[in-house]
Amino acid sequence: MARAKTLKSDISIEAVLEAALELFSSQGYGATSMRQIAEKAGVSVGNIYHHFKNKELIFQRLLDRYWEIVLDPELKLNRIFSKAEFPDDLEDLADAIEEVVNNHSRKILLIYVDVIEFRGAHIRKFYETMAVRFEAQYGKNLAKRKKKGELTGGDPLVGVMLAVRWFFYFFTVEKSFGVPMHFGMDNRQAIDEFIRIMRYGVLPRGNDGRQPDKLHG
Amino acid sequence: MARAKTLKSDISIEAVLEAALELFSSQGYGATSMRQIAEKAGVSVGNIYHHFKNKELIFQRLLDRYWEIVLDPELKLNRIFSKAEFPDDLEDLADAIEEVVNNHSRKILLIYVDVIEFRGAHIRKFYETMAVRFEAQYGKNLAKRKKKGELTGGDPLVGVMLAVRWFFYFFTVEKSFGVPMHFGMDNRQAIDEFIRIMRYGVLPRGNDGRQPDKLHG
DNA sequence: CATAACAAACCGAACGTTCGTTTTGTAATT
DNA sequence: AATTACAAAACGAACGTTCGGTTTGTTATG
């Protein structure tokens, strides 16, 4: 099959996916009709079914695209991961995550749609394998730094994951929940505070007489 | 109007709200029909409209109930807030938040439904006033402790809000996203690590040569 | 090069249902 | 008798998917 046909298909498929992304992320999955998608994409309902077997496969495809993006080694965020310089990379992590959230906020909303309407069926694997992915990227280097006394506490991998997950969530609330400055300050300031807390904690250093490895109370 | 009529009404209203909560939190708002709610509640569609003007008011009512719960001064979590003992109260905060999330996970999912289907219209106020509420509870005591050198860094109120919001999010992912142990460890362990990081940070204390108030890089 | 056959892209109506809300009653309570 | 709780049918739509075509692009053939 030659190029013109492929091109026509690709254009229609892309229009359908784009329309569906906009509608699913602003109405939910079940409340979005195929007619709405068709109208928004500028194609017929029959044509959608020519390219996609059913509605759920459209949804699945959109989420798969998001996983492709966030797992792409060329993504700025993943390049920071591969350098494994935590906690020195916290500022860079925050910036890169803000960029991902700003560029892909609608796809991120699909995660919540999935949680509600599919009980997380299409996102489970990504979250279940999260710890393993971070271990693969940061494990070696963190172990080395811990051994050299450059990091303290328990498993430093938790620090990485906490920071990353938190930044994703924070920027999503700011952008998609419609509550900018929900910490009572602008993003930059809030991120600086988070980073400080993650690096140094909230308890003073030096003459506080408390041991870092002793749990309180 | 006397008691028997009120009782009948209350029973029906409660059944409708309970049915709607289950359906909205597992299907989304737009994909849940009034006939489904009626059937699940064991009443007629007409009867729902007798008690509620329209579908959205049911949804609104459910969220209002959640705000009532989380803002109730008698709630264990709010009693911890009122004592304002951060960061000593971190363990208690985590426990109380886990309890809220476990008891009200469906209502919490409505927040995400609102973000997607109503662009956060019914939840905005709660998040917008978050910082102010924390300031009212913790502001005075944190300022005192900071002045006495018991806390370090910038605004300690950020530490409280970070902890609380993070705990809510973490437990929600564990419970409602269907990915228990998504940090590669059980809840208890993960929470212990978070608390340690929030108190002491990930950088060692003592001979690290870095000043806590100096931003990195 | 022109043409016919073929395959894929595309369309819109139809199938068998379902929807939010209103209307018109009945039953129960006051 | 008046009011409230409740039910079921009706109003004016809308839905996921299939079906029976039409249109467009490609390939094979003379």
Side-chain angles (χ1 to χ4, degrees):
Chain A
M1 189 177 72
R3 171 118 324 144
K5 277 280 173 77
T6 303
L7 198 60
K8 281 182 65 132
S9 284
D10 291 346
I11 288 172
S12 296
I13 289 170
E14 194 56 43
V16 169
L17 289 171
E18 170 61 29
L21 175 59
E22 179 60 36
L23 293 165
F24 286 154
S25 65
S26 60
Q27 298 182 165
Y29 173 84
T32 295
S33 75
M34 296 296 272
R35 287 169 178 78
Q36 285 175 312
I37 296 175
E39 184 178 342
K40 197 170 190 67
V43 301
S44 68
V45 172
N47 195 222
I48 297 188
Y49 281 97
H50 176 79
H51 292 294
F52 298 90
K53 186 165 170 6
N54 58 43
K55 190 173 161 189
E56 187 171 336
L57 283 181
I58 301 175
F59 185 77
Q60 174 78 277
R61 182 79 193 94
L62 289 170
L63 271 177
D64 288 341
R65 280 174 165 225
Y66 180 60
W67 308 140
E68 282 164 20
I69 290 167
V70 293
L71 296 177
D72 174 11
E74 296 308 311
L75 184 76
K76 183 164 124 191
L77 179 58
N78 288 323
R79 285 212 255 102
I80 297 170
F81 285 159
S82 66
K83 289 202 263 182
E85 293 169 351
F86 180 83
D88 303 316
D89 58 6
L90 277 172
E91 285 84 1
D92 293 335
L93 280 174
D95 287 344
I97 288 167
E98 183 176 19
E99 188 175 306
V100 172
V101 173
N102 285 338
N103 291 341
H104 303 288
S105 58
R106 292 180 304 171
K107 286 186 178 63
I108 289 170
L109 284 177
L110 293 190
I111 293 177
Y112 298 116
V113 172
D114 196 75
V115 168
I116 291 156
E117 300 186 46
F118 294 101
R119 296 179 192 266
H122 301 101
I123 62 142
R124 185 159 296 122
K125 192 169 164 189
F126 180 80
Y127 281 84
E128 280 177 343
T129 56
M130 184 181 80
V132 171
R133 288 199 309 277
F134 277 102
E135 172 69 38
Q137 299 271 27
Y138 281 89
K140 200 168 176 186
N141 207 44
L142 289 181
K144 196 184 303 177
R145 300 193 73 162
K146 187 138 193 264
K147 195 168 179 181
K148 284 160 62 176
E150 296 177 2
L151 299 173
T152 190
D155 184 358
L157 197 56
V158 175
V160 185
M161 293 193 286
L162 168 62
V164 172
R165 299 289 357 131
W166 170 250
F167 290 152
F168 263 104
Y169 179 66
F170 176 77
F171 285 122
T172 297
V173 172
E174 289 279 301
K175 184 171 173 68
S176 301
F177 284 38
V179 278
M181 295 183 67
H182 74 295
F183 264 61
M185 62 190 66
D186 71 34
N187 282 357
R188 192 79 261 137
Q189 204 178 348
I191 292 292
D192 286 346
E193 294 287 340
F194 301 150
I195 290 174
R196 182 183 289 135
I197 290 168
M198 290 172 195
R199 284 210 179 100
Y200 306 109
V202 297
L203 293 178
R205 311 201 142 209
N207 56 359
D208 60 9
R210 289 178 184 144
Q211 304 193 16
D213 286 332
K214 182 169 182 179
L215 286 185
H216 198 85
Chain B
M1 192 177 68
R3 169 125 319 151
K5 276 281 173 73
T6 304
L7 197 60
K8 281 181 67 127
S9 284
D10 291 347
I11 289 173
S12 297
I13 290 170
E14 194 56 44
V16 169
L17 288 171
E18 170 61 30
L21 175 59
E22 180 59 37
L23 292 165
F24 287 154
S25 64
S26 61
Q27 296 182 162
Y29 172 84
T32 295
S33 73
M34 297 296 269
R35 286 167 180 81
Q36 285 176 309
I37 296 175
E39 184 179 341
K40 198 169 192 69
V43 302
S44 66
V45 173
N47 194 222
I48 297 189
Y49 280 98
H50 177 78
H51 292 295
F52 298 90
K53 184 164 172 12
N54 58 43
K55 190 171 156 187
E56 188 170 337
L57 283 181
I58 301 176
F59 184 76
Q60 173 77 274
R61 183 78 192 94
L62 288 171
L63 272 176
D64 288 340
R65 281 176 165 222
Y66 180 59
W67 308 140
E68 281 164 22
I69 290 166
V70 293
L71 296 177
D72 175 11
E74 297 308 310
L75 184 75
K76 184 163 127 192
L77 179 59
N78 288 323
R79 287 213 252 101
I80 296 170
F81 286 159
S82 66
K83 289 203 262 181
E85 292 169 354
F86 180 82
D88 303 317
D89 58 4
L90 276 172
E91 285 86 359
D92 292 336
L93 281 175
D95 286 344
I97 289 166
E98 184 176 16
E99 187 174 307
V100 171
V101 172
N102 285 339
N103 291 341
H104 303 288
S105 57
R106 291 181 305 173
K107 286 188 177 66
I108 290 170
L109 284 177
L110 294 190
I111 293 176
Y112 297 114
V113 173
D114 195 75
V115 166
I116 290 157
E117 300 186 47
F118 294 99
R119 295 178 194 270
H122 301 101
I123 62 146
R124 184 157 297 122
K125 191 171 170 188
F126 180 80
Y127 280 84
E128 280 178 343
T129 55
M130 183 180 84
V132 171
R133 290 200 306 279
F134 277 102
E135 172 69 38
Q137 298 273 28
Y138 280 89
K140 199 169 179 185
N141 208 43
L142 290 182
K144 198 185 302 179
R145 301 194 71 165
K146 187 135 194 262
K147 194 168 181 183
K148 285 159 60 175
E150 295 177 0
L151 300 174
T152 192
D155 184 357
L157 196 56
V158 175
V160 185
M161 293 193 287
L162 169 62
V164 171
R165 298 290 357 131
W166 171 250
F167 289 152
F168 264 104
Y169 179 66
F170 176 77
F171 285 122
T172 297
V173 172
E174 289 280 299
K175 182 171 175 68
S176 301
F177 284 37
V179 279
M181 294 185 65
H182 74 295
F183 265 62
M185 60 189 71
D186 70 34
N187 284 356
R188 193 77 263 135
Q189 205 178 347
I191 292 292
D192 286 345
E193 292 288 340
F194 302 150
I195 290 174
R196 182 183 287 133
I197 291 168
M198 290 173 195
R199 284 211 178 97
Y200 305 108
V202 296
L203 293 178
R205 310 195 143 212
N207 54 1
D208 58 8
R210 289 177 185 147
Q211 303 192 18
D213 287 331
K214 182 170 184 178
L215 286 184
H216 198 82

